[in-house]
Amino acid sequence: MTTGEKIAALRKEQGMSQEALGEKLGLSRQAVSKWEADQAVPTMDNLMELSKLFGVPVDTLLRPDAELMPKAEDSDESWPGAENQPVRNGNRKWKIAAIAAAGLLCVSVVCSAVSLWRVLAMQKQIDTLRMQSGPSTIYYPDNTSAENSDLADWSENVTVDRQNTENLLVTVSAVPRSMLDGETAKFVVRSGDQSWECDAEDNNGYSGKLSVPFVDTFSVYLTLTGTNGETRNILVTSEYDLEQRLRLSVTAHWNNGGISSTGEKNPTTTVSGGVEVRVYCSSEDVKPASSNIVLYRNGKVQDMQPIDIKDFTGDSTFYTDVNWRNLEGELGEYRVKVVMLDNFDKLYTADVD
């Protein structure tokens, strides 16, 4: 298991959320999430705190070949005839247990010392690699909520790309604390194993803009390449929960009435009642612009009824009555949907259940 997988398993075993674990360590939920996704490695101090919190050696957390030991089950003393054993058997058990505990304590002290030595050696290797990092090395800070010490200033904005509503438009600027003569710069947006990049304009700092496919999370990096070919990769910021923040959630159902059919030879269908539509978005940037309840027969639009959505507050429910009667055809030929456009002209549809 990787370090991240072990942290996730131990956290869940303790019944803690990522946010709760972050609070115990004085970190953000995003920092814990990066550990568990193996996108970052905890610092030495954090590893020691995790070791104390979960009761496992630091070495076990770091080594992929070190398995997590399962918790020992409580032994059942109520075996048949136990009440008839002499008291001296109990004393012998206590002596054996005390000797075993002392032995385990000695082993634990030795293991902890060895683990600490290995961790210190590994930390030294990591620091050396960071000093010698080349173009293929990305440095991931383990706490994205803290101020980035490599930047003097930065800003970033993400919104829906109006030219292509299936994309995000990312605008970013960053001022490194140290800027070297002859360096070239670009911004890189990474999401999982995908990445997109654009050249950065140098204007007392660096700025750039790029359109990327709509992903739920991403991180933005400033990549600086010196004249000797050495590369610095600086994390600017990370974005999370973009689907919830920049997309509308639309659901609809019959509050009363619905679709009914009469007659067998020459059937007619009635679509009548109140439709309840709920629209939710956690961001104020995205809101419904227009919406209709649309009647379809065999996939073709037959009629529509506008929905009054002018009082949208971020989580709103709208009620609209429809009354389509004496429609030719059977009940199964008809469907009712909500069709909505947001203020970026993104189209949403939802069946009325």
Side-chain angles (χ1 to χ4, degrees):
M1 298 174 67
T2 65
T3 298
E5 290 171 343
K6 290 177 183 178
I7 293 173
L10 291 167
R11 173 181 63 77
K12 293 174 182 177
E13 186 178 283
Q14 296 284 338
M16 285 191 291
S17 64
Q18 290 181 342
E19 185 175 2
L21 177 57
E23 288 179 356
K24 287 183 178 292
L25 300 175
L27 302 172
S28 66
R29 178 192 67 78
Q30 290 87 347
V32 176
S33 176
K34 277 185 168 289
W35 292 348
E36 296 183 358
D38 290 314
Q39 294 181 347
V41 179
T43 62
M44 177 66 62
D45 291 339
N46 289 332
L47 284 168
M48 298 300 290
E49 289 299 320
L50 289 168
S51 174
K52 294 177 186 177
L53 182 62
F54 295 135
V56 297
V58 173
D59 192 46
T60 299
L61 291 173
L62 286 174
R63 288 176 50 202
D65 60 336
E67 297 293 332
L68 293 176
M69 295 298 293
K71 287 186 176 180
E73 299 292 335
D74 294 336
S75 59
D76 187 356
E77 295 287 340
S78 301
W79 47 277
E83 65 277 7
N84 298 323
Q85 293 299 311
V87 175
R88 58 188 177 86
N89 285 352
N91 292 336
R92 183 182 300 170
K93 288 182 179 179
W94 282 110
K95 289 179 180 179
I96 294 172
I99 293 172
L104 288 173
L105 180 60
C106 292
V107 173
S108 177
V109 170
V110 173
C111 289
S112 295
V114 173
S115 297
L116 181 58
W117 176 80
R118 287 181 175 178
V119 170
L120 290 172
M122 184 175 293
Q123 186 68 41
K124 185 177 180 180
Q125 291 177 355
I126 291 172
D127 292 339
T128 302
L129 287 173
R130 284 178 179 171
M131 294 294 293
Q132 300 175 347
S133 61
S136 62
T137 302
I138 296 289
Y139 165 50
Y140 293 94
D142 64 351
N143 186 355
T144 57
S145 65
E147 181 181 358
N148 191 333
S149 60
D150 293 323
L151 296 176
D153 192 18
W154 65 273
S155 66
E156 182 259 0
N157 180 66
V158 57
T159 187
V160 178
D161 189 344
R162 289 189 178 275
Q163 303 301 317
N164 180 1
T165 57
E166 296 303 320
N167 279 20
L168 295 169
L169 187 63
V170 183
T171 306
V172 59
S173 64
V175 181
R177 291 192 182 277
S178 62
M179 298 179 67
L180 307 179
D181 291 338
E183 272 188 329
T184 59
K186 64 181 178 180
F187 286 106
V188 180
V189 175
R190 295 171 56 90
S191 177
D193 58 356
Q194 303 179 86
S195 64
W196 308 269
E197 61 185 54
C198 72
D199 292 333
E201 296 182 7
D202 184 358
N203 185 17
N204 295 323
Y206 299 106
S207 61
K209 181 185 295 185
L210 66 166
S211 180
V212 303
F214 204 118
V215 291
D216 196 45
T217 63
F218 66 73
S219 296
V220 183
Y221 296 87
L222 173 62
T223 299
L224 301 170
T225 304
T227 55
N228 60 357
E230 292 187 357
T231 298
R232 292 189 291 157
N233 296 286
I234 303 173
L235 174 64
V236 180
T237 189
S238 295
E239 294 282 0
Y240 302 90
D241 303 324
L242 293 168
E243 285 282 353
Q244 183 177 343
R245 288 166 48 194
L246 298 175
R247 288 282 195 246
L248 296 179
S249 171
V250 183
T251 56
H253 68 272
W254 291 102
N255 188 42
N256 59 75
I259 306 177
S260 60
S261 184
T262 59
E264 294 185 2
K265 275 191 174 183
N266 298 304
T268 60
T269 297
T270 297
V271 181
S272 180
V275 177
E276 180 178 314
V277 180
R278 185 191 175 196
V279 185
Y280 172 78
C281 184
S282 63
S283 169
E284 296 181 356
D285 296 333
V286 182
K287 59 190 67 177
S290 65
S291 185
N292 290 277
I293 299 173
V294 182
L295 176 67
Y296 293 86
R297 182 186 180 190
N298 296 325
K300 296 182 179 181
V301 176
Q302 302 297 302
D303 205 346
M304 63 181 64
Q305 177 71 38
I307 303 174
D308 186 358
I309 54 172
K310 62 183 179 182
D311 296 324
F312 180 68
T313 60
D315 187 0
S316 300
T317 301
F318 305 100
Y319 298 92
T320 304
D321 291 327
V322 297
N323 188 25
W324 294 304
R325 296 181 177 275
N326 299 320
L327 303 171
E328 293 182 357
E330 299 178 353
L331 181 147
E333 299 177 26
Y334 289 91
R335 293 181 66 186
V336 180
K337 289 187 176 185
V338 172
V339 178
M340 184 175 295
L341 285 175
D342 66 16
N343 53 322
F344 290 92
D345 292 330
K346 168 69 178 174
L347 179 68
Y348 305 83
T349 63
D351 290 320
V352 179
D353 299 323

